[in-house]
Amino acid sequence: LQTAKLSFRDHVVTNVPWVSHEGCREELGLLMGNKRRSIEDIKADYPEIDFSDIEHDEDVLWEEYGERRETLLEKSERIYEFLTEYVRHRPEREISIVCHSAYLFTLMNAVMDISDEELRSWFLTSEVRSLQMTFIEREHE
């Protein structure tokens, strides 16, 4: 959230919605640095952000993994679900997804079909890249 506010400081006090979502966060499990604080604590620091899509005050997602880290497949599935079940249904046509570089690397290399090598490369701190995302309905076989 701090990085998002720094990167998009011109949009903090506008009518642009700022939304936090559990599907858009760093790798879950084991690493204490990736465990989030309670939503009530975070709300106190970021009152302008909408946390209504987060179901639990405590970090139950991180806790589910216990002494193991989320696998690449699990993270890819979580990112895919975030895109198809949440982002896809947002009314906005322009959306910024602000998160850690490992999340973005997984998004660009394991979840989305991207051929541009530059887009698929590692993100630098506060780096912004623009791309158009298209969702395609596929018939179930």
Side-chain angles (χ1 to χ4, degrees):
L1 296 175
Q2 188 176 34
T3 301
K5 285 182 71 175
L6 290 171
S7 298
F8 294 96
R9 65 182 160 268
D10 295 340
H11 300 288
V12 173
V13 292
T14 67
N15 61 351
V16 174
W18 284 68
V19 180
S20 183
H21 193 281
E22 292 279 54
C24 185
R25 52 182 289 196
E26 192 53 91
E27 186 176 89
L28 299 169
L30 190 62
L31 302 175
M32 289 300 295
N34 293 344
K35 186 177 190 315
R36 71 162 168 78
R37 297 180 295 152
S38 75
I39 292 301
E40 288 306 311
D41 285 350
I42 299 170
K43 280 181 182 177
D45 291 336
Y46 301 96
E48 70 282 2
I49 298 188
D50 176 3
F51 294 94
S52 62
D53 288 316
I54 298 179
E55 193 174 338
H56 303 282
D57 184 50
E58 296 302 323
D59 193 355
V60 297
L61 290 179
W62 189 90
E63 297 290 344
E64 286 177 10
Y65 289 89
E67 295 298 315
R68 73 175 187 89
R69 291 169 76 169
E70 181 180 38
T71 67
L72 178 58
L73 178 59
E74 290 167 329
K75 182 168 40 172
S76 298
E77 289 171 344
R78 180 169 52 87
I79 294 169
Y80 180 81
E81 185 176 315
F82 169 70
L83 293 176
T84 60
E85 301 300 320
Y86 182 74
V87 172
R88 180 181 200 172
H89 301 290
R90 292 289 303 176
E92 299 85 8
R93 300 304 347 137
E94 293 183 24
I95 297 174
S96 295
I97 298 174
V98 183
C99 49
H100 290 244
S101 55
Y103 180 100
L104 293 168
F105 189 79
T106 304
L107 169 69
M108 300 295 193
N109 289 276
V111 177
M112 295 179 67
D113 184 13
I114 296 178
S115 57
D116 185 327
E117 288 294 324
E118 189 174 333
L119 282 176
R120 292 176 50 208
S121 65
W122 193 261
F123 280 70
L124 302 175
T125 302
S126 293
E127 180 179 356
V128 176
R129 295 184 194 171
S130 180
L131 61 117
Q132 182 175 341
M133 190 178 298
T134 303
F135 295 96
I136 301 171
E137 290 291 333
R138 299 192 190 250
E139 291 185 34
H140 296 305
E141 297 180 25

